[in-house]
Amino acid sequence: MASAQPSNPEEASSSLQNLHLDEITGERVSKTELKKRQKQRQVEAKKAEKAAAAPPKAKKASTAEQDEMELTPNQYFEIRSRAINRLRETHQPNPYPHKFQVNTDLREFVKKYQDIKTGQHLKDVEIRIGARIYTKRASGNNLIFYDVRAEGARIQIMCQSQESTSSVPFQEQHEHLRRGDIIGIKGYPGRTNPKNRDEGELSIFAQEVILLSPCLHQLPGEHYGFKDQEQRHRRRYLDLIINEGTRNTFITRAKIVRYIRRFFDDRDFIEVETPMMNQIAGGATAKPFTTFHNEYGQELFMRVAPELYLKELIVGGLERVYEIGRQFRNEGADLTHNPEFTTCEFYQAFADVYDVMDMTEDLVSGLVQHVTGGYNTTFHTQTGETFEVNWAKPWKRVEMIPALEEAVGEQFPPGDQLHTQETNDFLKRVLEKVNVQCSPPMTNARMIDKLVGEFIEEKCINPTFITGHPQMMSPLAKYHRSQNGLCERFEAFVCKKEIVNAYTELNDPFDQRLRFEEQANQKAQGDDEAQLVDHTFLDALEHALPPTGGWGMGVDRMVMFLTDNYSIREVLTFPFMKEEKNVKPKPAAAEVAGVEPMPVEDITHT
């Protein structure tokens, strides 16, 4: 390629003389290029001069709600608390009125008017509802939309200034309202007629909106939600406001309890209530909570089960009784255990474990069908396992000792020898062989229970009855009518967890006394869960307990399975939580707003 540079010094000197200096950049360029640059600079200078002379552009006005979105939660709380306190003082409007008359259930409103046509308005129908604001958006000064919820239903509220029938000016009705507030709406049903789509949205066209109770705090945004589990369980009210799934869980729980109650009521059972505080913690193998009665100077136990009281009622002639209520056990807390929990127990005279087993299948299968619409459910565990459960009857039945013998490859001692020291030594060898740990005290009952948990319960995905328990594991169950050393008891398991425990009740006061003494021996060995001798119950048995079938079910666990929640805290409205240490209390609204306490009954405040 030929060189473009001058071939001699004379040509180079001539080229430099034809270039001109650009004083702005310091470059030497051709005359044409220099003129081009100068012209461009003149144009830019005129633009800059014109822009400098122009008046500044007015910023788009932002609403108070938009400005408040930039605040921190603490800032918002302080500003909002002061604003509401001013309304408390002026009553313009009163932020906490006594009453708002409602005439419509929002759930029924949605069903009744869902077929309204786009653009149709039913102005002769008066609708009055109370609801919570979830979103507020304005379109100019005379049109405001709210999305509100009540009773689990959601509806749009369309507020137009020309539709207002209130004596309060339109702007004043709405300027104090924020997300989270409870409001009363008076209006009529209709469907909007949008320009940008074919179908409008079912709405209430508001004629009047009244503040009923303000929310002083910023609610979590709908995009990010309220997902912190610890805070959700501590602040269940906020969890229910934000998370629809939580509300649905508790509605399902209520359905389950209603179905169980109706099941027994329809079979002529009597619902009863028994004491929560007892002189002896009996009725179940569990460690109790203690409390103290000041007047009597007496230590009492919170009940671990209502069983003994219910059987005393059977003795008295109430031949079919049940109780749905709280139990309290001072044991470990984990994903499936809470210190206080709900059970249902029933006792039926002239029934045995086999009658109760049939009733269990009828009750639970019918319950699942009623709540879910079928017999198949899906349950997800914390570890990511997915269990497909078929609740339809009949359920599988597994005998405990034969199943353990097959699992560990050892022949167990005869049933009437399972309580002996020789069996204790045998079980220790078996645990070591199969590498299963059992925490002290290593009683025969605890070691067998550990083996059952490891080798039988782990296989129970669909509902399964485990039967044939040793007598020393069941101090209140009647001995097996054909197998020495065993008792007539079953446990029902689903997804590896127990849901039901039942048996033919022990009604022999002589045998019951020996069982209590065996439990006392286990307590002496260090088993805090073993039961004490209950002399009042023994006295009741001596007045003749008829042959009786007894049954207990954990209500919380059934709710967990039917709502697909692996944590018991998700199905309890207020689960027990550890104390939050080193957490400074937040100032209350009254403190922020500077409200002084009022003297009550001549008590002065200092």
mmCIF file of all heavy atoms in Angstrom, residues 43-72:
data_model
loop_
_atom_site.group_PDB
_atom_site.id
_atom_site.type_symbol
_atom_site.label_atom_id
_atom_site.label_comp_id
_atom_site.label_asym_id
_atom_site.label_seq_id
_atom_site.Cartn_x
_atom_site.Cartn_y
_atom_site.Cartn_z
ATOM 1 N N VAL A 43 -24.375 26.532 17.556
ATOM 2 C CA VAL A 43 -25.708 25.943 17.759
ATOM 3 C C VAL A 43 -25.891 25.500 19.209
ATOM 4 O O VAL A 43 -26.917 25.749 19.846
ATOM 5 C CB VAL A 43 -25.923 24.764 16.797
ATOM 6 C CG1 VAL A 43 -27.201 24.005 17.148
ATOM 7 C CG2 VAL A 43 -25.970 25.253 15.357
ATOM 8 N N GLU A 44 -24.851 24.857 19.761
ATOM 9 C CA GLU A 44 -24.927 24.350 21.141
ATOM 10 C C GLU A 44 -25.005 25.507 22.141
ATOM 11 O O GLU A 44 -25.704 25.419 23.159
ATOM 12 C CB GLU A 44 -23.729 23.463 21.448
ATOM 13 C CG GLU A 44 -23.754 22.138 20.684
ATOM 14 C CD GLU A 44 -22.492 21.329 20.898
ATOM 15 O OE1 GLU A 44 -21.535 21.855 21.532
ATOM 16 O OE2 GLU A 44 -22.449 20.160 20.437
ATOM 17 N N ALA A 45 -24.300 26.588 21.827
ATOM 18 C CA ALA A 45 -24.318 27.741 22.722
ATOM 19 C C ALA A 45 -25.701 28.379 22.754
ATOM 20 O O ALA A 45 -26.188 28.794 23.817
ATOM 21 C CB ALA A 45 -23.269 28.755 22.280
ATOM 22 N N LYS A 46 -26.370 28.467 21.595
ATOM 23 C CA LYS A 46 -27.714 29.035 21.546
ATOM 24 C C LYS A 46 -28.711 28.173 22.332
ATOM 25 O O LYS A 46 -29.587 28.672 23.023
ATOM 26 C CB LYS A 46 -28.170 29.185 20.090
ATOM 27 C CG LYS A 46 -27.456 30.313 19.351
ATOM 28 C CD LYS A 46 -27.971 30.432 17.921
ATOM 29 C CE LYS A 46 -27.262 31.587 17.187
ATOM 30 N NZ LYS A 46 -27.754 31.711 15.789
ATOM 31 N N LYS A 47 -28.543 26.822 22.233
ATOM 32 C CA LYS A 47 -29.433 25.923 22.977
ATOM 33 C C LYS A 47 -29.268 26.117 24.482
ATOM 34 O O LYS A 47 -30.234 26.166 25.235
ATOM 35 C CB LYS A 47 -29.126 24.466 22.607
ATOM 36 C CG LYS A 47 -29.681 24.037 21.270
ATOM 37 C CD LYS A 47 -29.410 22.551 21.053
ATOM 38 C CE LYS A 47 -30.004 22.074 19.733
ATOM 39 N NZ LYS A 47 -29.748 20.634 19.512
ATOM 40 N N ALA A 48 -28.009 26.233 24.891
ATOM 41 C CA ALA A 48 -27.737 26.408 26.317
ATOM 42 C C ALA A 48 -28.296 27.724 26.827
ATOM 43 O O ALA A 48 -28.838 27.818 27.933
ATOM 44 C CB ALA A 48 -26.233 26.328 26.577
ATOM 45 N N GLU A 49 -28.158 28.778 25.980
ATOM 46 C CA GLU A 49 -28.668 30.094 26.367
ATOM 47 C C GLU A 49 -30.188 30.065 26.485
ATOM 48 O O GLU A 49 -30.770 30.634 27.418
ATOM 49 C CB GLU A 49 -28.230 31.120 25.323
ATOM 50 C CG GLU A 49 -28.629 32.557 25.669
ATOM 51 C CD GLU A 49 -28.152 33.551 24.609
ATOM 52 O OE1 GLU A 49 -27.379 33.140 23.715
ATOM 53 O OE2 GLU A 49 -28.565 34.713 24.674
ATOM 54 N N LYS A 50 -30.845 29.369 25.561
ATOM 55 C CA LYS A 50 -32.299 29.272 25.584
ATOM 56 C C LYS A 50 -32.781 28.484 26.803
ATOM 57 O O LYS A 50 -33.753 28.853 27.453
ATOM 58 C CB LYS A 50 -32.774 28.593 24.296
ATOM 59 C CG LYS A 50 -34.288 28.536 24.158
ATOM 60 C CD LYS A 50 -34.671 27.916 22.818
ATOM 61 C CE LYS A 50 -36.178 27.862 22.661
ATOM 62 N NZ LYS A 50 -36.594 27.250 21.379
ATOM 63 N N ALA A 51 -32.053 27.388 27.113
ATOM 64 C CA ALA A 51 -32.431 26.572 28.267
ATOM 65 C C ALA A 51 -32.264 27.346 29.566
ATOM 66 O O ALA A 51 -33.062 27.229 30.492
ATOM 67 C CB ALA A 51 -31.588 25.298 28.300
ATOM 68 N N ALA A 52 -31.199 28.169 29.622
ATOM 69 C CA ALA A 52 -30.965 28.937 30.845
ATOM 70 C C ALA A 52 -32.029 30.005 31.043
ATOM 71 O O ALA A 52 -32.382 30.348 32.178
ATOM 72 C CB ALA A 52 -29.586 29.574 30.781
ATOM 73 N N ALA A 53 -32.538 30.535 29.936
ATOM 74 C CA ALA A 53 -33.545 31.593 30.028
ATOM 75 C C ALA A 53 -34.942 31.041 30.309
ATOM 76 O O ALA A 53 -35.820 31.769 30.763
ATOM 77 C CB ALA A 53 -33.562 32.397 28.729
ATOM 78 N N ALA A 54 -35.153 29.739 30.016
ATOM 79 C CA ALA A 54 -36.482 29.141 30.196
ATOM 80 C C ALA A 54 -36.802 29.007 31.685
ATOM 81 O O ALA A 54 -35.913 28.752 32.497
ATOM 82 C CB ALA A 54 -36.529 27.775 29.513
ATOM 83 N N PRO A 55 -38.061 29.159 32.071
ATOM 84 C CA PRO A 55 -38.446 28.977 33.490
ATOM 85 C C PRO A 55 -38.263 27.507 33.877
ATOM 86 O O PRO A 55 -38.406 26.612 33.043
ATOM 87 C CB PRO A 55 -39.926 29.379 33.515
ATOM 88 C CG PRO A 55 -40.410 29.192 32.112
ATOM 89 C CD PRO A 55 -39.236 29.491 31.222
ATOM 90 N N PRO A 56 -37.946 27.222 35.133
ATOM 91 C CA PRO A 56 -37.750 25.826 35.551
ATOM 92 C C PRO A 56 -39.048 25.037 35.448
ATOM 93 O O PRO A 56 -40.133 25.548 35.698
ATOM 94 C CB PRO A 56 -37.299 25.954 37.010
ATOM 95 C CG PRO A 56 -37.815 27.288 37.450
ATOM 96 C CD PRO A 56 -37.764 28.164 36.234
ATOM 97 N N LYS A 57 -38.888 23.747 35.046
ATOM 98 C CA LYS A 57 -40.055 22.881 34.908
ATOM 99 C C LYS A 57 -40.627 22.564 36.291
ATOM 100 O O LYS A 57 -39.887 22.260 37.221
ATOM 101 C CB LYS A 57 -39.677 21.574 34.207
ATOM 102 C CG LYS A 57 -39.341 21.752 32.735
ATOM 103 C CD LYS A 57 -39.075 20.405 32.087
ATOM 104 C CE LYS A 57 -38.787 20.561 30.594
ATOM 105 N NZ LYS A 57 -38.528 19.244 29.963
ATOM 106 N N ALA A 58 -41.939 22.641 36.358
ATOM 107 C CA ALA A 58 -42.588 22.313 37.634
ATOM 108 C C ALA A 58 -42.545 20.807 37.855
ATOM 109 O O ALA A 58 -42.852 20.025 36.953
ATOM 110 C CB ALA A 58 -44.037 22.795 37.624
ATOM 111 N N LYS A 59 -42.133 20.428 39.057
ATOM 112 C CA LYS A 59 -42.119 18.998 39.388
ATOM 113 C C LYS A 59 -43.546 18.500 39.538
ATOM 114 O O LYS A 59 -44.417 19.192 40.042
ATOM 115 C CB LYS A 59 -41.359 18.761 40.693
ATOM 116 C CG LYS A 59 -39.871 19.011 40.589
ATOM 117 C CD LYS A 59 -39.198 18.648 41.896
ATOM 118 C CE LYS A 59 -37.687 18.833 41.812
ATOM 119 N NZ LYS A 59 -37.030 18.475 43.089
ATOM 120 N N LYS A 60 -43.747 17.255 39.106
ATOM 121 C CA LYS A 60 -45.062 16.645 39.232
ATOM 122 C C LYS A 60 -45.397 16.479 40.706
ATOM 123 O O LYS A 60 -44.617 15.909 41.467
ATOM 124 C CB LYS A 60 -45.084 15.285 38.533
ATOM 125 C CG LYS A 60 -46.473 14.675 38.472
ATOM 126 C CD LYS A 60 -46.449 13.376 37.701
ATOM 127 C CE LYS A 60 -47.843 12.771 37.638
ATOM 128 N NZ LYS A 60 -47.852 11.492 36.893
ATOM 129 N N ALA A 61 -46.534 17.001 41.086
ATOM 130 C CA ALA A 61 -46.912 16.937 42.501
ATOM 131 C C ALA A 61 -47.124 15.499 42.930
ATOM 132 O O ALA A 61 -47.740 14.702 42.216
ATOM 133 C CB ALA A 61 -48.195 17.746 42.723
ATOM 134 N N SER A 62 -46.589 15.164 44.078
ATOM 135 C CA SER A 62 -46.763 13.820 44.619
ATOM 136 C C SER A 62 -47.829 13.856 45.702
ATOM 137 O O SER A 62 -48.047 14.878 46.343
ATOM 138 C CB SER A 62 -45.451 13.298 45.200
ATOM 139 O OG SER A 62 -45.006 14.112 46.258
ATOM 140 N N THR A 63 -48.500 12.729 45.894
ATOM 141 C CA THR A 63 -49.523 12.647 46.923
ATOM 142 C C THR A 63 -48.870 12.391 48.269
ATOM 143 O O THR A 63 -47.700 11.988 48.355
ATOM 144 C CB THR A 63 -50.507 11.509 46.607
ATOM 145 O OG1 THR A 63 -49.785 10.261 46.646
ATOM 146 C CG2 THR A 63 -51.119 11.681 45.225
ATOM 147 N N ALA A 64 -49.647 12.615 49.330
ATOM 148 C CA ALA A 64 -49.132 12.352 50.679
ATOM 149 C C ALA A 64 -48.762 10.884 50.830
ATOM 150 O O ALA A 64 -47.761 10.540 51.462
ATOM 151 C CB ALA A 64 -50.186 12.748 51.710
ATOM 152 N N GLU A 65 -49.586 9.997 50.237
ATOM 153 C CA GLU A 65 -49.300 8.564 50.330
ATOM 154 C C GLU A 65 -47.971 8.214 49.666
ATOM 155 O O GLU A 65 -47.196 7.392 50.174
ATOM 156 C CB GLU A 65 -50.429 7.750 49.687
ATOM 157 C CG GLU A 65 -51.731 7.777 50.475
ATOM 158 C CD GLU A 65 -52.612 8.927 50.051
ATOM 159 O OE1 GLU A 65 -52.092 9.900 49.466
ATOM 160 O OE2 GLU A 65 -53.835 8.873 50.322
ATOM 161 N N GLN A 66 -47.694 8.849 48.508
ATOM 162 C CA GLN A 66 -46.424 8.584 47.820
ATOM 163 C C GLN A 66 -45.247 9.079 48.643
ATOM 164 O O GLN A 66 -44.212 8.416 48.724
ATOM 165 C CB GLN A 66 -46.449 9.239 46.436
ATOM 166 C CG GLN A 66 -47.397 8.576 45.456
ATOM 167 C CD GLN A 66 -47.553 9.366 44.174
ATOM 168 O OE1 GLN A 66 -47.395 10.595 44.158
ATOM 169 N NE2 GLN A 66 -47.865 8.674 43.084
ATOM 170 N N ASP A 67 -45.383 10.231 49.242
ATOM 171 C CA ASP A 67 -44.311 10.755 50.094
ATOM 172 C C ASP A 67 -44.063 9.833 51.286
ATOM 173 O O ASP A 67 -42.925 9.608 51.692
ATOM 174 C CB ASP A 67 -44.666 12.159 50.584
ATOM 175 C CG ASP A 67 -44.688 13.184 49.457
ATOM 176 O OD1 ASP A 67 -44.058 12.913 48.408
ATOM 177 O OD2 ASP A 67 -45.338 14.229 49.621
ATOM 178 N N GLU A 68 -45.145 9.282 51.845
ATOM 179 C CA GLU A 68 -45.010 8.432 53.025
ATOM 180 C C GLU A 68 -44.341 7.108 52.708
ATOM 181 O O GLU A 68 -43.795 6.464 53.608
ATOM 182 C CB GLU A 68 -46.392 8.197 53.640
ATOM 183 C CG GLU A 68 -46.965 9.443 54.304
ATOM 184 C CD GLU A 68 -48.451 9.334 54.602
ATOM 185 O OE1 GLU A 68 -49.042 8.291 54.252
ATOM 186 O OE2 GLU A 68 -49.011 10.284 55.178
ATOM 187 N N MET A 69 -44.373 6.708 51.447
ATOM 188 C CA MET A 69 -43.703 5.468 51.074
ATOM 189 C C MET A 69 -42.191 5.562 51.241
ATOM 190 O O MET A 69 -41.503 4.540 51.355
ATOM 191 C CB MET A 69 -44.051 5.100 49.623
ATOM 192 C CG MET A 69 -45.492 4.669 49.425
ATOM 193 S SD MET A 69 -45.893 4.345 47.683
ATOM 194 C CE MET A 69 -44.818 2.937 47.358
ATOM 195 N N GLU A 70 -41.673 6.783 51.260
ATOM 196 C CA GLU A 70 -40.236 6.976 51.421
ATOM 197 C C GLU A 70 -39.816 6.957 52.885
ATOM 198 O O GLU A 70 -38.631 6.977 53.197
ATOM 199 C CB GLU A 70 -39.816 8.311 50.789
ATOM 200 C CG GLU A 70 -40.205 8.459 49.323
ATOM 201 C CD GLU A 70 -39.562 7.391 48.451
ATOM 202 O OE1 GLU A 70 -38.383 7.046 48.723
ATOM 203 O OE2 GLU A 70 -40.232 6.884 47.536
ATOM 204 N N LEU A 71 -40.764 6.933 53.785
ATOM 205 C CA LEU A 71 -40.452 6.969 55.212
ATOM 206 C C LEU A 71 -40.060 5.589 55.729
ATOM 207 O O LEU A 71 -40.473 4.562 55.186
ATOM 208 C CB LEU A 71 -41.665 7.460 56.004
ATOM 209 C CG LEU A 71 -42.207 8.854 55.686
ATOM 210 C CD1 LEU A 71 -43.478 9.113 56.476
ATOM 211 C CD2 LEU A 71 -41.153 9.919 55.992
ATOM 212 N N THR A 72 -39.273 5.574 56.789
ATOM 213 C CA THR A 72 -38.998 4.315 57.482
ATOM 214 C C THR A 72 -40.236 3.943 58.292
ATOM 215 O O THR A 72 -41.088 4.807 58.576
ATOM 216 C CB THR A 72 -37.804 4.451 58.426
ATOM 217 O OG1 THR A 72 -38.154 5.342 59.504
ATOM 218 C CG2 THR A 72 -36.572 4.978 57.698
#
